[in-house]
Amino acid sequence: MKFSNDFIFGGATAAYQCEGCTQSHGKGKVAWDNYLEKQGRFLAEPASDFYHKYPVDLTLCHQFGINGIRISIAWSRIFPDGEGKVNQEGVDFYHAVFQKCHEEGVEPFVTLHHFDTPDALHSKGDFLNRHTIDCFVEYCKFCFEEYKDEVSYWFTFNEVWPISVNQYICGTFPPGIRYDIDQCVRSMHNMMVAHANVVIAFHEGNYPGKIGVIHSLEYKYPYDETKEGDRLAAKKEDVLANQFLLDATFLGEYSDDTLEIIDQLMEMNGAAFHPEPEDMKILKKAAQYNDYLGINYYQSQFIREYHGENEIFHNGTGDKGTSVFRLKGIGERMFKEGIDRTDWDWLIYPEGLYDMIMRIKRQYPNYKALYITENGMGYKDDFEDGTIDDQPRIDYIKRHLEAVGQAIEEGANVKGYFVWSLMDVFSWSNGYNKRYGLFYVDYETQERYAKKSAYWFKEVAEKKEV
Ligand code: BGP
């Protein structure tokens, strides 16, 4: 399977997961700092020390044929309090990173928010508080102005649904609230309004370059196709996790089909969803200005009808078989015979990526381009004298790249693929034993070692063929 010459074969990172220096060099706190400290399992410090090691990582990109990198800017490194005073050291840091990217021939794709709202705003309700929307827009405008000569590819948010579901339903992200569908839906809507405002500001500011948003899109299949209840359960989870956000992004409105289910779910939880008319005007206006969509894809779900009590157990240790996800009146996620899964119970199902790309092409024909902004396999790598044989990761990436290639052959406009992650990084709710990198990080010495997958990916990237 051949990819075009300008196809991006990239590696993905995120500020909080790789930079370290979380509370130094003028950086303001984020909610994670206190949350992780209180939890006492692990910290994002020094993580992969990208703050100092970025030249090494970017040189590795160059040497291994990786022509794009996803980097996120830490909002609180620029505005320690989320608004107001600027931290010049943080501003300069990203200039240095972007300069090195260009020296090494690695295109930076920059995310403005990757799970790390400054604590000063997070503690006042994060995106449930509309003041955060205004601050986010100001911060983004600052970045566009500051980095316009160095950055051509922007993303507003990384993964709106995971932020909301983990903050308000699973309770695995701060503030750790559980089973609150109302706050989940409202925070998603507010983030989409923030995204839309930023896209409009980018367009009206005539900045060079392109902009879009990244959604985590997991295909929801009925566990048993023949059962009406399972089909409905899959539909409900799809609307909540996928269609609500795809509608907001591409249609600039929520379709009747979407609202019917959202209203049902809200009502079941004693709430109601009434977006402000002004918000809907903003969504509508911005929908035409999205240059692309980023898709993060790791897994799909098979869902069974469920009416019992809410019950979620997050497998954050790699103890295979321990995951539970059951939402009352929505559905229960099932393992499925014949479909392999990682030690963290993520179902390995490349068909879901193909199906999702083709669905977007069909359902939202005004999409302009797609990037697969994250895909990869969490794995307990064995480090033996500097040799890391991660064949299962190679198989995983290969199968997913083939699915992307197939979609392209059938007319989908996919412009690039980023492996999560470039090098091993900190994992939000799993710490350090869940590794994803093409490059192994020895967290004691901060040395990098190319895994077998890095050598394999180099060949793919150089030949543009899988
Ligand atoms: C995505 C996030 C990344 C990364 C990845 C792997 O949802 O955008 O930041 O963490 O998932 O997830 P995890 O580390 O939980 O395995």
Side-chain angles (χ1 to χ4, degrees), residues 260-462:
E260 195 188 321
I261 293 202
I262 292 295
D263 287 346
Q264 259 180 42
L265 300 183
M266 291 297 258
E267 203 186 311
M268 244 163 43
N269 288 274
F273 178 59
H274 296 302
E276 310 217 351
E278 194 48 37
D279 285 359
M280 299 316 293
K281 277 193 204 146
I282 289 164
L283 288 184
K284 195 76 197 171
K285 183 168 177 193
Q288 59 187 313
Y289 299 140
N290 287 293
D291 294 303
Y292 41 63
L293 169 73
I295 300 179
N296 289 357
Y297 180 86
Y298 292 88
Q299 59 172 333
S300 283
Q301 268 103 33
F302 290 82
I303 312 209
R304 190 162 76 177
E305 179 175 11
Y306 182 74
H307 301 286
E309 289 310 307
N310 290 320
E311 194 184 351
I312 291 178
F313 181 81
H314 170 67
N315 170 1
T317 51
D319 196 0
K320 199 168 179 173
T322 55
S323 293
V324 177
F325 192 99
R326 302 181 180 125
L327 284 178
K328 186 175 184 171
I330 301 182
E332 168 177 15
R333 296 181 186 172
M334 306 291 292
F335 301 140
K336 183 121 171 138
E337 210 175 309
I339 298 181
D340 204 4
R341 32 182 230 278
T342 69
D343 286 343
W344 288 264
D345 295 318
W346 292 21
L347 270 62
I348 303 175
Y349 199 63
E351 294 85 339
L353 176 56
Y354 166 83
D355 285 345
M356 187 53 80
I357 296 172
M358 298 314 279
R359 177 232 185 133
I360 290 170
K361 180 173 178 297
R362 210 173 35 245
Q363 195 175 344
Y364 305 97
N366 67 326
Y367 89 96
K368 292 180 191 140
L370 303 172
Y371 285 89
I372 309 307
T373 33
E374 283 182 33
N375 176 243
M377 185 182 180
Y379 187 63
K380 295 167 191 161
D381 287 296
D382 268 335
F383 181 86
E384 286 177 33
D385 306 326
T387 313
I388 303 107
D389 183 348
D390 57 345
Q391 189 60 42
R393 180 174 291 115
I394 295 176
D395 297 341
Y396 180 102
I397 297 175
K398 183 168 186 292
R399 289 176 62 198
H400 285 81
L401 264 173
E402 284 166 355
V404 174
Q406 192 189 334
I408 294 174
E409 273 181 13
E410 292 173 29
N413 187 25
V414 187
K415 310 274 291 173
Y417 171 97
F418 294 76
V419 176
W420 181 269
S421 43
L422 176 63
M423 65 291 191
D424 292 334
V425 298
F426 163 78
S427 167
W428 306 96
S429 55
N430 310 280
Y432 293 95
N433 79 331
K434 191 179 192 185
R435 292 175 181 265
Y436 281 93
L438 293 173
F439 299 98
Y440 185 96
V441 174
D442 177 336
Y443 291 110
E444 295 293 311
T445 62
Q446 290 296 340
E447 287 300 314
R448 272 69 168 148
Y449 301 84
K451 300 180 192 176
K452 191 173 166 189
S453 58
Y455 292 102
W456 173 83
F457 196 67
K458 178 177 196 290
E459 244 189 86
V460 172
E462 286 175 355

Side-chain angles (χ1 to χ4, degrees), residues 31-78:
W32 285 98
D33 296 333
N34 289 343
Y35 181 82
L36 292 175
E37 207 158 297
K38 203 164 149 213
Q39 185 180 269
R41 281 178 72 203
F42 36 70
L43 297 174
E45 192 65 62
S48 331
D49 195 22
F50 188 74
Y51 198 81
H52 299 107
K53 287 284 188 176
Y54 71 86
V56 174
D57 291 318
L58 287 162
T59 302
L60 283 172
C61 286
H62 179 82
Q63 288 169 350
F64 280 77
I66 296 166
N67 60 352
I69 184 171
R70 268 192 70 208
I71 288 169
S72 79
I73 294 179
W75 182 353
S76 75
R77 213 180 267 298
I78 308 281

